[in-house]
Amino acid sequence: MLKKIRIAIKTTQRELSTSLFHQKHTGEVSGEPETIELMMEGRYHDDGTRVTISYKEGELTGMKDARTSISFQKNEPCLITMTRDGAVRTAMIFEPGQRHLCMYQTPYMPFELAVATKKVENHIEESGTLHLIYTAEIKGANGQYTDFTMTLLPDISKPLGT
């Protein structure tokens, strides 16, 4: 089933004072939090075994024209994959208590990115919410502690093409 949806995203970020590349823990949080709240249209696809939510990024996120997709297998709801295509490209994996490395492609150059996930609360199928707490660091730059909440909103839920 493929349907149009409305998505609310709230992201709060804080700078890290320690490196994910040199330590096994997820970094010490410092600095003032910066919160961004967005509302957008997207697509929800459930093929019976995998759920995918996709939306276009806007200017506020600094990734204009990029498409973000968040997906998970129904039998592994706490293993989340986030991919981005467009001006920036990446594939990040969020798994509680795990650290994953990936490449972050930009128009300027590729960067290695470390993502350490502290928490995944996936209630997309029950109440339409996904909550992630993770730290991410591009090698050689300050890392970011991120508290990400996505909420699927009622309404625009007619199947596409009708």
Side-chain angles (χ1 to χ4, degrees), residues 24-161:
K24 291 194 178 208
H25 60 82
T26 58
E28 300 298 324
V29 177
S30 65
E32 292 299 314
E34 181 182 320
T35 299
I36 297 173
E37 294 186 54
L38 303 168
M39 184 89 63
M40 74 240 355
E41 287 187 11
R43 294 178 180 207
Y44 178 96
H45 183 251
D46 180 344
D47 69 5
T49 60
R50 183 174 203 65
V51 172
T52 301
I53 299 147
S54 61
Y55 56 92
K56 276 195 172 183
E57 296 282 351
E59 287 184 40
L60 284 177
T61 64
M63 293 178 276
K64 187 179 180 212
D65 297 328
R67 175 163 292 282
T68 297
S69 295
I70 295 172
S71 62
F72 60 92
Q73 295 283 9
K74 290 183 165 202
N75 63 352
E76 288 188 284
C78 286
L79 180 60
I80 306 294
T81 301
M82 178 186 289
T83 60
R84 287 203 170 103
D85 290 308
V88 295
R89 295 188 335 255
T90 191
M92 295 182 280
I93 298 171
F94 302 94
E95 183 177 13
Q98 299 297 313
R99 179 176 165 269
H100 293 277
L101 296 177
C102 65
M103 292 304 293
Y104 201 88
Q105 302 279 341
T106 72
Y108 311 104
M109 65 189 300
F111 297 96
E112 187 175 21
L113 180 71
V115 177
T117 306
K118 291 179 102 175
K119 182 189 231 177
V120 174
E121 291 179 350
N122 184 351
H123 302 288
I124 291 291
E125 293 190 277
E126 299 83 21
S127 61
T129 61
L130 173 65
H131 184 211
L132 303 172
I133 295 178
Y134 63 94
T135 54
E137 178 184 350
I138 294 175
K139 195 166 190 173
N142 288 339
Q144 295 286 317
Y145 167 92
T146 302
D147 188 324
F148 172 94
T149 302
M150 169 188 281
T151 305
L152 307 184
L153 302 170
D155 214 8
I156 313 176
S157 57
K158 297 181 213 167
L160 291 175

Side-chain angles (χ1 to χ4, degrees), residues 5-18:
I5 56 171
R6 285 187 306 141
I7 302 168
I9 294 177
K10 180 179 179 181
T11 303
T12 301
Q13 293 184 322
R14 294 179 76 179
E15 210 170 283
L16 292 179
S17 60
T18 57

